[in-house]
């Protein structure tokens, strides 16, 4: 048997590389913790007769998005770095699709001149695949209990592909909008605002759930089974996201020098503290609104709205700025929540958080941190991709919001036409009222509330 010699590149597997691998791997743990928290919130706020079905559809939707991203999604996001270096998007897709050369190579066999830090980029596939799945989980919050499972699962595949393309444009440092000045540290545009755009199209077509705004013969009122479980889910999300913050940073020599994914100046400590204080500010204003209105929902929406308000700018805010910005976020969510409730629009999560607080978040970064240098890539000193050549501006923040929401709306419009003509879109009202757990799975609940 003849021996073979494989090139070994020790620079790809140093201790420094391992530390960075562990940093980014922790982000995947944080993302999965967020999924667990979202499922707890769903379990605490979904009508008991539909609880199992709602949970299982979210789980399946998550893994459809996860698998789809592994197959094709990462190549779109990585394409921005190929284009920066004179390559093409097709080059990136060939290297990084499910059977691509780089997605299947052992790091120590790849010359750093071809792709340095390969392990880190491979781990990033897992990390971003989690958020592709989270896009679908969030969308399901808006359509659960009334959208056909087949229609939802088809939507999951399409949403994953479109959000992957969108991530190339709006998240990173050298994509078209980010290089031009759009700033979104945590990626709320393609992860949160995009599925909200889809929901804006689907929710009116799906209608109201039985008992939500008026008594139904089989559902006198829509009752959440466990607000305590939803609150536990909220804290679970709070616990998971700090690890995700680490994965939104790039580390360069000297070994602990961090810049954000947008190439803005930042530090680990500042980004962490901004994250924590954003929740606190949102919780305080949310509590005030809840006690004044006697509505418990703002005690849950408040901290989340505070977090959303800071997510685009955890890297560039100072903690005192972050706190002041987060205090106003629940008010933005409250305005949208009241607007939709008065018009009996049955969507109480995505619209307040990602149209209200999300729009507020992107605009506030543009107002408070206007002129902050970012964009390009570290080490590039001239040309279109020079390090920190771009500046944050209100105009670019508006452009980014419009693109992400518009992409969701367009995706929803196309899908709704196709789904109505094929699988159908809506679960019949009588089936919703009877309970999908019993109808689909033969599960009897003690309460049909």
């Amino acid at each position: 048997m003849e021996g073979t010699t494989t090139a070994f590149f020790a620079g790809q597997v140093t201790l420094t590389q391992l530390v960075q691998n562990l940093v980014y791997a922790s982000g995947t743990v944080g993302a999965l913790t967020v999924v667990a928290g979202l499922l707890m919130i769903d379990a605490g706020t979904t009508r008991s007769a539909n609880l199992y079905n709602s949970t299982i559809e979210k789980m399946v939707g998550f893994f459809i998005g996860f698998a789809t991203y592994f197959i094709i999604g990462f190549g779109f996001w990585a394409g921005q770095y190929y284009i920066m270096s004179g390559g093409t998007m097709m080059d990136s897709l060939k290297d990084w699709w499910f059977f691509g050369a780089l997605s299947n190579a052992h790091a120590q066999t790849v010359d750093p001149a071809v792709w340095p830090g390969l392990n880190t980029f491979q781990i990033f596939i897992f990390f971003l695949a989690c958020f592709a799945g989270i896009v679908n989980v969030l969308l399901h919050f808006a359509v659960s209990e009334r959208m056909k499972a087949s229609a939802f699962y088809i939507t999951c595949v399409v949403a994953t592909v479109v959000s992957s393309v969108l991530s190339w444009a709006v998240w990173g440092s050298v994509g078209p909008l980010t290089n031009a000045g759009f700033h979104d540290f945590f990626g709320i545009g393609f992860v949160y605002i995009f599925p909200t755009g889809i929901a804006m199209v689907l929710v009116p077509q799906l209608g109201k759930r039985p008992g939500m705004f008026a008594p139904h013969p089989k559902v006198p009122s829509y009752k959440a089974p466990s607000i305590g479980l939803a609150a536990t889910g909220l804290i679970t999300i709070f616990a998971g996201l700090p690890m995700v913050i680490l994965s939104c940073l790039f580390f360069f020599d000297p070994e602990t020098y961090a810049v954000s994914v947008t190439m803005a100046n930042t530090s680990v400590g500042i980004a962490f503290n901004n994250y924590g204080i954003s929740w606190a500010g949102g919780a305080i204003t949310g509590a005030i609104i809840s006690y004044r209105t006697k509505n418990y929902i703002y005690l849950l929406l408040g901290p989340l709205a505070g977090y959303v308000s800071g997510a685009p700018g955890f890297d560039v805010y100072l903690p005192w700025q972050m706190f002041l910005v987060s205090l106003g976020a629940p008010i933005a969510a409250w305005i949208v929540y009241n607007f939709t409730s008065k018009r009996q629009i049955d969507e109480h999560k995505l619209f307040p958080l990602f149209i209200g607080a999300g729009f507020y978040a992107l605009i506030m970064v543009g107002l408070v941190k206007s002129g902050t240098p970012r964009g390009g890539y570290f080490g590039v000193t001239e040309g279109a991709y020079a390090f920190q050549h771009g500046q944050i501006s209100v105009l670019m923040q508006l452009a980014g919001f419009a693109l992400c929401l518009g992409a969701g709306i367009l995706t929803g419009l196309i899908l709704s036409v196709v789904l109505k003509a094929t699988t159908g879109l809506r679960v019949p009202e009588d089936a919703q009222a009877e309970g999908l757990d019993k109808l689909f799975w033969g599960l009897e609940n003690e309460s049909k509330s």
Side-chain angles (χ1 to χ4, degrees):
M1 182 175 180
E2 294 185 5
T4 59
T5 301
T6 301
F8 187 91
F9 298 95
Q12 293 276 36
V13 287
T14 63
L15 181 60
T16 298
Q17 288 290 333
L18 177 61
V19 171
Q20 288 209 24
N21 298 160
L22 292 174
V23 165
Y24 290 107
S26 74
T28 67
V29 177
L32 293 172
T33 304
V34 170
V35 175
L38 290 172
L39 292 180
M40 290 182 196
I41 291 175
D42 183 58
T45 57
T46 298
R47 181 170 160 247
S48 296
N50 298 321
L51 183 53
Y52 176 78
N53 189 72
S54 180
T55 300
I56 208 66
E57 285 182 359
K58 283 182 175 62
M59 287 182 61
V60 173
F62 172 84
F63 283 112
I64 287 175
F66 188 90
T68 301
Y69 195 86
F70 261 82
I71 293 170
I72 193 65
F74 185 75
F76 288 111
W77 180 78
Q80 61 188 290
Y81 301 105
Y82 280 73
I83 294 169
M84 177 188 72
S85 303
T88 67
M89 178 66 76
M90 187 55 65
D91 293 331
S92 178
L93 292 172
K94 287 179 180 178
D95 282 345
W96 291 104
W97 79 297
F98 204 34
F99 298 101
L102 291 180
S103 60
N104 288 280
H106 294 127
Q108 66 270 16
T109 66
V110 176
D111 189 340
V114 174
W115 200 276
L118 182 62
N119 272 327
T120 292
F121 263 74
Q122 289 176 340
I123 293 168
F124 227 65
I125 301 174
F126 192 137
F127 172 71
L128 287 174
C130 289
F131 282 92
I134 287 172
V135 167
N136 295 333
V137 173
L138 291 172
L139 176 60
H140 195 265
F141 272 107
V143 302
S144 67
E145 305 177 80
R146 50 206 156 133
M147 186 175 185
K148 284 188 174 181
S150 55
F152 173 66
Y153 295 149
I154 292 170
T155 300
C156 288
V157 175
V158 175
T160 299
V161 174
V162 177
S163 67
S164 299
V165 176
L166 198 58
S167 71
W168 157 72
V170 301
W171 192 70
S173 64
V174 293
L177 255 68
T178 50
N179 194 53
F182 176 64
H183 191 84
D184 185 5
F185 171 70
F186 231 51
I188 72 167
F190 77 97
V191 178
Y192 301 158
I193 294 171
F194 166 69
T196 304
I198 299 177
M200 288 178 67
V201 176
L202 297 182
V203 167
Q205 298 182 60
L206 294 170
K208 297 171 284 190
R209 287 169 288 184
M212 179 58 69
F213 294 105
H216 183 278
K218 293 183 178 180
V219 189
S221 63
Y222 190 100
K223 296 180 180 178
S226 178
I227 302 303
L229 181 58
T232 303
L234 190 74
I235 295 299
T236 302
I237 293 172
F238 181 49
L241 283 172
M243 290 179 283
V244 179
I245 286 176
L246 283 174
S247 295
C248 293
L249 300 172
F250 280 120
F251 298 91
F252 297 104
D253 290 331
E255 294 169 1
T256 58
Y257 173 55
V259 296
S260 72
V261 69
T262 65
M263 298 292 147
N265 290 329
T266 190
S267 67
V268 174
I270 288 293
F272 264 60
N273 286 344
N274 282 336
Y275 168 75
I277 203 65
S278 72
W279 279 74
I284 290 169
T285 302
I288 292 171
I289 294 173
S290 278
Y291 282 111
R292 290 295 298 270
T293 62
K294 307 301 181 184
N295 188 339
Y296 74 87
I297 193 64
Y298 298 108
L299 284 166
L300 298 178
L301 287 180
L304 288 171
Y307 151 68
V308 170
S309 75
F314 288 147
D315 54 336
V316 294
Y317 283 128
L318 299 176
W320 67 267
Q321 294 172 327
M322 182 70 268
F323 183 65
L324 294 177
V325 169
S326 66
L327 286 172
I331 297 173
W334 179 32
I335 291 170
V336 175
Y337 184 92
N338 280 351
F339 178 87
T340 55
S341 294
K342 288 178 179 177
R343 288 157 181 80
Q344 296 192 356
I345 298 171
D346 188 3
E347 208 303 296
H348 310 300
K349 298 180 180 73
L350 271 64
F351 292 175
L353 286 175
F354 306 138
I355 295 178
F359 178 78
Y360 170 84
L362 291 174
I363 295 304
M364 289 305 293
V365 171
L367 290 173
V368 177
K369 305 305 292 188
S370 178
T372 300
R374 25 74 67 234
Y377 198 79
F378 186 77
V380 180
T381 57
E382 59 184 16
Y385 301 106
F387 180 59
Q388 295 186 346
H389 72 93
Q391 296 183 348
I392 297 174
S393 71
V394 174
L395 181 62
M396 288 307 302
Q397 297 303 98
L398 285 170
F401 178 84
L403 176 63
C404 295
L405 190 67
I409 291 172
L410 180 60
T411 302
L413 287 171
I414 294 172
L415 278 170
S416 63
V417 173
V418 173
L419 293 173
K420 283 181 178 179
T422 53
T423 64
L425 190 64
R426 185 171 183 265
V427 175
E429 185 174 295
D430 286 344
Q432 294 181 46
E434 182 64 27
L436 303 184
D437 288 1
K438 178 180 179 181
L439 179 66
F440 295 149
W441 309 103
L443 296 175
E444 294 284 355
N445 295 281
E446 293 183 2
S447 171
K448 291 186 178 183
S449 60

